[in-house]
Amino acid sequence: MNEHDSEIMAGMLIEEGFQQVESRKEADIVIINTCSIRDNADKRFFGTLGQLKRRKKENPEFTVCVCGCMMQQQHVIDTIKAKYPWVDVIFGTHNIHRLPELLANIVAEKGKQLDVWPEGGEIVEGLPCERLHKSKALVNIMFGCNNFCTYCIVPYTRGRERSRRPDDILGEVKNLVADGVKEIMLLGQNVNSYKGIKTDSADEICDFADLIYMLNEVEGLERIRFMTSHPKDLSDKLIQAFVDCDKLCKNIHLPVQSGSSRILKAMNRRYDKEKYLELVKNLKAAVPGITMSTDIIVGFPGETEEDFEETLDLVRQVRYDSAFTFLYSIRKGTPAEKYENQVPEEIKHERFNRLVDLVNSISAEKNAAYAGRTEKVLVEGPSKTNSKTYSGRTDGFKLVNFPGNESMVGCMVDVRITEGKTFSLEGEVL
Ligand code: SAH
Ligand code: SF4
């Protein structure tokens, strides 16, 4: 979501005549888009800000803007105002569309710190976007979250759920396809609770599965993905959409957070281990070969060794293709911040390492089974480390590296997989 916000800000500034530069050193204006999901993201932000102070001192014309989730929190704004008064502009996630206006105001109000952050939340349509990839695009379908998982800051920084109109989404996707996009990723904190109101009929509600069926009809579009779906709201209708919609990739990111029903309750996730495993069973039965990934938090307050064993057991049963694993991080203002039974750091780390070892060994086994198969890959570009190696994703979201060239970028190619590694596959274009 932050990545897409950055694409939109870049799009707006390019429209205003600004140019993107390769490195921060060359820039006259720096915009830092922050994330506040865990403490290490917060720390990195303040570290980066500290580095910019000297440049601002040397050149007062140099402009520093800060935005994103961190700027939706009063304590962060207070810290910036007190310790970093030289920051020119502060704005929150709800005010991205006002960036060009804010930059224009800096010229008018020299030396004054400008900020807009708490109000807003309305959906602004038609903003430009400078995509990171030619052939794939991120598409917001809804904003905010109503779930209030007890560890999570998102409902406080992104506000309540609001869905875009299906007609607006369809219009955007058609424009993207006309611009060369083959794959879209539908974005929302809980896409399953998408509820779009059609422009021509206010009583007709379009739910998430309806939206997929609608987008599946877009000519020229080849792949549809989404992120993230909450297990408590994953409907049979959505599972059926995987069966019926040929463009919907056979892959799902379904965050579980913990395998212990007791911890899930304390997290306010509103499903238990059994319900989650039943969902996985239904998905695997309806969509043979579906690949699955998840998010897991280790060391939520009160997590015992037994609770953690339940998580390991769930991972063994589901056999995820990959998983994002996180150490629980206390977030100011969330209910879990006040829980007294915080897990000591060394225990968290020890459990985290055991979990990562298990997840990686399953990923490696699953990927090894791809050797000899042929997969359709949407080519994204050269790899960061070797300019002759190109990479792309399979329908199941596996990263594939192969010898390639620039003419392949944006194309769907057949790749024969030669080796499956822990985090990626190796192959040759047929
Ligand atoms: N809306 C998505 C998650 C968005 S946040 C969902 O509910 O699935 C992405 C992930 O960050 C979460 O799934 C969770 O695993 C992790 N996360 C969120 N808050 C966290 C915290 N306080 N400490 C550690 N991990 C956290
Ligand atoms: Fe955070 Fe839970 Fe909302 Fe996801 S569903 S964004 S984890 S509160």
Side-chain angles (χ1 to χ4, degrees):
M1 224 159 235
N2 279 39
E3 190 172 295
H4 189 43
D5 287 348
S6 293
E7 290 181 331
I8 292 172
M9 287 188 264
M12 287 190 295
L13 293 192
I14 288 169
E15 240 179 33
E16 294 285 316
F18 291 90
Q19 266 175 24
Q20 250 176 324
V21 288
E22 284 297 314
S23 91
R24 196 188 290 157
K25 286 197 194 88
E26 300 166 54
D28 300 316
I29 299 177
V30 165
I31 303 168
I32 310 177
N33 189 6
T34 62
C35 167
S36 55
I37 200 82
R38 285 174 297 278
D39 189 43
N40 47 7
D42 283 16
K43 286 210 177 88
R44 256 183 76 191
F45 164 66
F46 285 115
T48 308
L49 212 48
Q51 287 165 21
L52 293 175
K53 186 177 177 182
R54 224 185 57 210
R55 262 199 66 198
K56 183 76 189 172
K57 241 187 187 158
E58 287 165 7
N59 175 14
E61 298 289 304
F62 176 60
T63 303
V64 179
C65 310
V66 295
C67 62
C69 293
M70 282 179 76
M71 304 312 139
Q72 292 294 142
Q73 297 167 79
Q74 183 64 53
H75 68 97
V76 176
I77 303 284
D78 293 344
T79 307
I80 294 176
K81 289 192 166 170
K83 292 198 183 153
Y84 308 86
W86 46 268
V87 166
D88 297 287
V89 180
I90 306 168
F91 60 105
T93 53
H94 301 320
N95 300 300
I96 282 169
H97 58 285
R98 295 187 57 191
L99 176 60
E101 172 203 338
L102 288 165
L103 281 176
N105 286 350
I106 290 184
V107 182
E109 309 214 22
K110 264 237 130 349
K112 210 169 144 202
Q113 192 168 53
L114 302 176
D115 61 285
V116 277
W117 62 281
E119 91 284 11
E122 82 275 25
I123 295 177
V124 183
E125 289 292 342
L127 294 176
C129 173
E130 180 68 10
R131 283 199 311 279
L132 274 175
H133 297 280
K134 204 165 86 178
S135 55
K136 59 175 202 173
L138 302 167
V139 178
N140 282 325
I141 63 163
M142 59 185 299
F143 303 90
C145 180
N146 290 351
N147 290 318
F148 291 93
C149 302
T150 53
Y151 50 81
C152 185
I153 196 75
V154 172
Y156 309 91
T157 61
R158 295 243 170 207
R160 293 295 67 70
E161 280 175 8
R162 51 228 185 263
S163 297
R164 287 179 72 196
R165 287 182 185 270
D167 328 55
D168 289 333
I169 298 170
L170 182 63
E172 180 179 343
V173 170
K174 283 184 175 166
N175 286 339
L176 288 168
V177 171
D179 195 36
V181 165
K182 296 193 168 129
E183 176 180 311
I184 52 166
M185 168 79 87
L186 305 175
L187 295 177
Q189 292 300 345
N190 176 9
V191 290
N192 299 330
S193 43
Y194 172 82
K195 273 187 199 67
I197 300 169
K198 293 185 182 154
T199 309
D200 53 4
S201 140
D203 331 313
E204 223 183 306
I205 298 285
C206 170
D207 68 17
F208 182 57
D210 297 332
L211 184 71
I212 301 267
Y213 279 96
M214 188 176 87
L215 296 175
N216 196 55
E217 298 302 316
V218 174
E219 217 165 300
L221 181 66
E222 298 194 30
R223 284 178 171 177
I224 303 170
R225 303 186 187 280
F226 57 84
M227 188 153 82
T228 298
S229 54
H230 194 302
K232 82 175 163 58
D233 299 315
L234 196 139
S235 64
D236 289 343
K237 192 170 161 189
L238 181 60
I239 298 181
Q240 190 56 38
F242 276 106
V243 181
D244 297 337
C245 301
D246 57 328
K247 293 176 185 173
L248 184 59
C249 293
K250 308 292 176 265
N251 164 252
I252 189 166
H253 182 66
L254 195 61
V256 67
Q257 314 299 358
S258 168
S260 153
S261 297
R262 200 179 68 82
I263 294 294
L264 286 169
K265 191 149 197 265
M267 287 177 163
N268 191 30
R269 290 291 288 181
R270 287 177 274 172
Y271 55 83
D272 59 15
K273 185 184 185 187
E274 285 62 43
K275 166 87 194 327
Y276 185 90
L277 287 173
E278 190 189 311
L279 272 179
V280 170
K281 197 177 95 198
N282 295 346
L283 273 164
K284 286 183 175 173
V287 196
I290 191 168
T291 54
M292 298 192 71
S293 57
T294 198
D295 292 344
I296 301 171
I297 298 177
V298 176
F300 183 80
E303 183 189 77
T304 62
E305 176 61 24
E306 289 69 37
D307 293 316
F308 178 66
E309 294 279 348
E310 295 279 356
T311 299
L312 295 178
D313 175 62
L314 180 132
V315 169
R316 281 190 204 101
Q317 290 196 49
V318 179
R319 292 182 56 78
Y320 293 105
D321 291 84
S322 63
F324 294 103
T325 46
F326 305 111
L327 289 163
Y328 167 70
S329 169
I330 299 180
R331 302 287 65 206
K332 214 175 170 136
T334 60
E337 180 203 1
K338 309 265 161 19
Y339 296 174
E340 276 168 10
N341 43 3
Q342 301 286 336
V343 175
E345 284 302 313
E346 64 277 14
I347 296 184
K348 271 199 232 177
H349 280 92
E350 187 267 337
R351 286 181 191 159
F352 183 82
N353 293 341
R354 277 155 68 199
L355 176 64
V356 170
D357 286 348
L358 175 64
V359 164
N360 289 351
S361 69
I362 295 172
S363 298
E365 273 172 44
K366 295 201 90 169
N367 286 349
Y370 278 69
R373 285 198 212 173
T374 298
E375 288 279 330
K376 283 224 172 313
V377 173
L378 179 59
V379 184
E380 285 175 18
S383 89
K384 285 194 185 95
T385 46
N386 179 348
S387 62
K388 292 202 175 76
T389 302
Y390 279 68
S391 60
R393 298 264 174 188
T394 66
D395 180 280
F397 208 58
K398 300 267 178 195
L399 181 68
V400 188
N401 295 310
F402 47 87
N405 58 59
E406 209 46 36
S407 71
M408 294 173 180
V409 175
C411 298
M412 201 69 88
V413 295
D414 284 324
V415 178
R416 200 180 66 84
I417 308 301
T418 49
E419 190 189 348
K421 297 182 165 178
T422 308
F423 304 111
S424 62
L425 308 175
E426 302 287 311
E428 296 159 348
V429 176
L430 286 180

